[in-house]
């Protein structure tokens, strides 16, 4: 009986193990970094977040924000415009608290948070005390560079308490 050469067999097994480890690492990396984190909803559809369904009623571009009682309008920074998003929320689950995590999502997953505006508006900003089953309208205002206005995807409803994909809602056209 002939003895098998041990050194070439161990070398082949080591090379196979190295390739297998590399493939497992690459599949894990690709699964984490290349799966989109957002779930784009059809126009007019609502997104469910924190026991509340939220629907985007309108998204309007404006060069200035007119206050309710007159006075000085809100002017954005040079090269930027206001995006006023009117939303409607209905709370379904009384055990969960709606935290108003809205962000505007643009090209290449750029995000803009809600701007702090010193202009009194007729529609209030996001209320934190939603009654169960009662629809509430509110608006979120964002300041966006004018070059990205035609490339906006919608409003991302952020929920840091879950690993689920973030719903992105769009207005019905």
């Amino acid at each position: 009986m002939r003895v098998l050469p041990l050194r070439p067999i161990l070398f082949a097994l080591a090379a196979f193990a190295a390739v297998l480890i590399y493939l497992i690492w690459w599949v894990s990396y690709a699964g984490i970094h290349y799966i989109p984190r957002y779930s784009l909803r059809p126009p007019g559809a609502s997104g469910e977040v924190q026991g509340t369904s939220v629907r985007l009623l309108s998204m309007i571009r404006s060069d200035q924000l007119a206050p309710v009682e007159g006075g000085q309008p809100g002017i954005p920074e040079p090269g930027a415009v206001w995006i006023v998003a009117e939303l409607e929320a209905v709370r379904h689950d009384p055990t969960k608290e709606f935290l108003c995590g809205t962000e505007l999502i643009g090209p290449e997953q750029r995000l803009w948070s809600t701007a702090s505006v010193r202009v009194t508006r007729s529609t209030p900003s996001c209320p934190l005390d939603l009654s169960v089953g009662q629809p509430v309208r509110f608006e979120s205002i964002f300041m966006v560079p004018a070059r990205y206005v035609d490339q906006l995807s919608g409003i991302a409803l952020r929920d840091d308490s879950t690993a689920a994909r973030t719903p992105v809602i769009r207005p019905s056209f």
Side-chain angles (χ1 to χ4, degrees), residues 103-156:
E103 295 176 320
L104 186 63
I105 187 166
E108 299 174 8
Q109 296 183 356
R110 283 188 169 98
L111 295 173
W112 290 277
S113 297
T114 306
S116 59
V117 181
R118 296 184 181 160
V119 176
T120 305
R121 306 275 298 162
S122 60
T123 306
S125 62
C126 186
L128 294 176
D129 55 343
L130 293 175
S131 300
V132 177
Q134 296 291 325
V136 175
R137 286 189 178 200
F138 64 95
E139 63 182 22
S140 293
I141 301 173
F142 306 92
M143 188 183 327
V144 178
R147 67 179 179 266
Y148 295 123
V149 170
D150 296 333
Q151 303 171 37
L152 300 175
S153 298
I155 302 292

Side-chain angles (χ1 to χ4, degrees), residues 59-99:
M59 213 163 63
I60 301 168
R61 172 193 175 165
S62 179
D63 294 326
Q64 61 181 353
L65 293 175
V68 173
E69 299 142 0
Q72 294 294 326
I75 306 293
E77 294 177 3
V81 296
W82 297 114
I83 301 294
V84 180
E86 186 177 3
L87 300 124
E88 181 179 69
V90 180
R91 185 174 177 188
H92 302 292
D93 189 352
T95 61
K96 295 183 180 177
E97 185 178 352
F98 179 60
L99 299 175

Side-chain angles (χ1 to χ4, degrees), residues 5-29:
L6 190 59
R7 191 172 291 180
I9 292 173
L10 288 177
F11 181 78
L13 283 174
F16 178 76
V19 169
L20 186 64
I21 289 171
Y22 176 78
L23 287 175
I24 290 171
W25 172 82
W26 179 248
V27 168
S28 299
Y29 180 85

Side-chain angles (χ1 to χ4, degrees), residues 39-49 52-57 87-90 92 155 157 167-171:
S39 174
L40 194 62
R41 301 286 194 253
S46 63
E48 188 74 25
V49 61
T52 305
S53 63
V54 181
R55 192 167 54 107
L56 182 57
L57 302 175
L87 300 124
E88 181 179 69
V90 180
H92 302 292
I155 302 292
L157 302 173
V168 177
I169 54 176
R170 301 181 290 169

